């Protein structure tokens, strides 16, 4: 446990707080130095180059492996803010360790050549999805608004929020105001039990925007590649600006061929894909006429391309007769019984 003498030393002004320079990672500020029994110290001390911790103070035990008892529990520096990374210069660590009686000389603490120790403070990141879910729940509970078909557009974008890593509860709405006509809202949110959010309340403003289902690729799809069910997913996106060609049904994309390279996450349009052509223009095909007790096949040449189920025109290269049939497989065109006469005349 970090010793209470830390508070007295902070109040006396013996610990200096460093202000981070603009645009650089915030350095970890020194917190205290308390004498520790020399008998508890290992004979050779080595600094850790990196530290990950969940507390708001860095102890000598965090910095120097092998320490135990009071020496390890003695507070040395203040940790960075939640979710942030800072650095402590080795020279400052040596100075603090000497003042605390951890080492007698600077050479007693080895840094293995690095000039600073990197300290990362663990945190749970609150995402834009967390904030949106909390607001939608609040709208349902307080105003009876079913916001499932809406997205929350936060003014200025979703803020970066970090809370204590041990907190697993959902974000909750503390205060909420909503204008049904303009769909604008203001909210104050919190994670139950979070000291960080109690000291710095989270307030947002924004607007509900109507959304629609769109089909988007999960990965880069090359031109000519056939889309499978694992290649696409359905997401809700703001309706404004999507246009009328947007594909909203995943069935309209699966087994289709990309007409151009398709980027992951970009909504698919009808002109982006086409059915896979299994009969090409100019291909030699087998023309099939089948009726009860009768099967006629002959060779023909497709005058247009077609996918499975398309009706295409084919000609007999010798007679030059033209008839229409449905593409029933690769290189295969089936003719309906009503076209029997035409098939016979085309032979």
């Amino acid at each position: 446990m970090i010793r209470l003498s830390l508070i007295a030393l902070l109040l006396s002004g013996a610990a200096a707080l460093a202000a981070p320079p603009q645009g650089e990672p915030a350095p970890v500020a020194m917190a205290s130095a308390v004498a520790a029994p020399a008998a508890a110290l290992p004979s050779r001390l080595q600094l850790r180059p990196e530290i990950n911790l969940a507390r708001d103070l860095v102890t000598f035990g965090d910095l120097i492996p092998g320490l135990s008892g009071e020496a390890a529990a003695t507070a040395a520096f203040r940790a960075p803010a939640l979710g942030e990374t800072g650095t402590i210069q080795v020279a400052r660590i040596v100075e603090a360790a000497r003042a605390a009686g951890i080492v007698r000389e600077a050479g007693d603490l080895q840094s293995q050549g690095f000039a600073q120790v990197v300290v990362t403070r663990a945190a749970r990141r609150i995402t834009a999805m967390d904030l949106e879910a909390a607001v939608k729940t609040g709208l349902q509970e307080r105003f009876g608004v079913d916001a499932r078909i809406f997205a929350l557009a936060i003014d200025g974008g979703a803020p970066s929020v970090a809370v204590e890593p041990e907190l697993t509860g959902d974000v909750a709405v503390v205060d909420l105001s909503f204008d049904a006509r303009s769909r604008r809202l203001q909210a104050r949110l919190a994670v139950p039990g979070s000291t960080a959010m109690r000291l710095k309340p989270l307030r947002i403003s924004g607007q509900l925007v109507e959304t629609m289902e769109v089909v988007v690729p999960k990965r880069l799809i090359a031109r000519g590649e056939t889309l499978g069910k694992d290649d696409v997913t359905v997401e809700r996106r703001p309706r404004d600006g999507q246009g009328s060609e947007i594909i909203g049904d995943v069935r309209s994309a699966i087994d289709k061929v990309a007409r151009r390279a398709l980027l992951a996450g970009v909504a698919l349009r009808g002109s982006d894909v086409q059915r896979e052509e299994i009969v090409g223009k100019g291909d030699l095909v087998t023309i099939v006429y089948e009726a009860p007790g009768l099967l006629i096949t002959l060779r023909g040449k497709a005058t247009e391309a077609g996918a499975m189920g398309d009706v295409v025109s084919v000609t007999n290269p010798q007679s030059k007769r033209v008839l229409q049939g449905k593409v029933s497989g690769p290189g295969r065109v089936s003719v309906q019984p009503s076209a029997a006469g035409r098939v016979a005349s085309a032979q």
Side-chain angles (χ1 to χ4, degrees):
M1 180 176 179
I2 298 172
R3 300 175 61 179
L4 295 178
S5 57
L6 166 65
I7 300 176
L9 191 54
L10 285 172
L11 294 176
S12 67
L17 298 180
Q22 186 69 25
E24 298 181 7
V28 184
M30 180 181 292
S32 72
V34 182
L41 304 179
S43 58
R44 193 170 181 82
L45 302 178
Q46 298 279 350
L47 280 175
R48 287 188 174 97
E50 296 182 6
I51 301 172
N52 292 277
L53 73 164
R55 302 186 307 273
D56 59 352
L57 292 173
V58 182
T59 67
F60 283 108
D62 296 322
L63 294 165
I64 307 169
L67 291 184
S68 60
E70 293 184 6
T74 301
F77 295 89
R78 185 164 297 173
L82 284 165
E84 301 295 331
T85 296
T87 59
I88 316 173
Q89 298 300 315
V90 169
R92 295 185 63 195
I93 298 174
V94 172
E95 178 185 348
R98 290 180 62 185
I102 305 296
V103 297
R104 293 186 176 87
E105 302 295 336
D108 295 339
L109 188 56
Q110 303 295 319
S111 66
Q112 305 176 51
F114 51 84
Q116 59 188 17
V117 174
V118 179
V119 182
T120 300
R121 178 90 175 273
R124 171 192 167 192
R125 288 288 180 183
I126 303 301
T127 67
M129 293 180 62
D130 295 329
L131 301 179
E132 181 171 327
V135 168
K136 287 183 176 180
T137 299
L139 288 171
Q140 177 67 48
E141 293 176 348
R142 303 187 183 199
F143 298 95
V145 176
D146 185 355
R148 286 177 295 180
I149 65 170
F150 295 95
L152 174 61
I154 300 176
D155 296 340
S160 177
V161 183
V163 299
E164 294 81 350
E166 67 274 12
L167 299 180
T168 59
D170 294 335
V171 180
V173 170
V174 179
D175 293 316
L176 180 64
S177 61
F178 177 66
D179 184 339
R181 183 175 181 180
S182 65
R183 296 178 184 159
R184 287 200 58 81
L185 58 88
Q186 292 183 331
R188 181 163 67 92
L189 303 103
V191 174
S194 173
T195 301
M197 294 190 77
R198 186 172 67 252
L199 296 175
K200 187 179 180 180
L202 173 62
R203 292 181 172 86
I204 63 171
S205 60
Q207 185 176 24
L208 292 181
V209 294
E210 190 174 356
T211 62
M212 62 182 294
E213 289 188 341
V214 299
V215 178
V216 299
K218 295 181 180 179
R219 60 178 180 86
L220 175 65
I221 306 294
R223 178 184 177 185
E225 189 174 352
T226 301
L227 281 68
K229 63 180 181 179
D230 295 328
D231 296 325
V232 293
T233 187
V234 177
E235 297 181 358
R236 296 204 71 90
R237 299 281 179 86
R239 182 179 295 276
D240 290 346
Q242 292 294 347
S244 59
E245 291 188 359
I246 291 295
I247 298 176
D249 188 344
V250 71
R251 294 173 297 181
S252 299
I254 294 176
D255 295 331
K256 297 294 180 62
V257 176
R259 301 182 63 184
R260 58 181 66 86
L262 306 176
L263 299 179
V266 177
L268 290 179
R269 300 177 180 274
S271 57
D272 292 334
V273 294
Q274 63 184 11
R275 290 192 297 170
E276 183 177 8
E277 294 178 351
I278 57 177
V279 170
K281 183 178 181 179
D283 286 354
L284 290 177
V285 298
T286 299
I287 304 171
V288 179
Y289 170 76
E290 189 172 4
L294 179 64
L295 176 64
I296 301 175
T297 64
L298 65 150
R299 299 293 286 171
K301 186 176 183 180
T303 59
E304 54 189 330
M308 189 71 173
D310 285 349
V311 176
V312 297
S313 297
V314 291
T315 61
N316 184 320
Q318 295 179 344
S319 65
K320 307 302 181 183
R321 298 276 184 164
V322 179
L323 63 152
Q324 290 188 322
K326 183 177 294 186
V327 177
S328 56
R332 183 184 177 96
V333 177
S334 297
V335 185
Q336 298 298 320
S338 60
R342 295 178 60 189
V343 173
S345 64
Q347 295 180 3

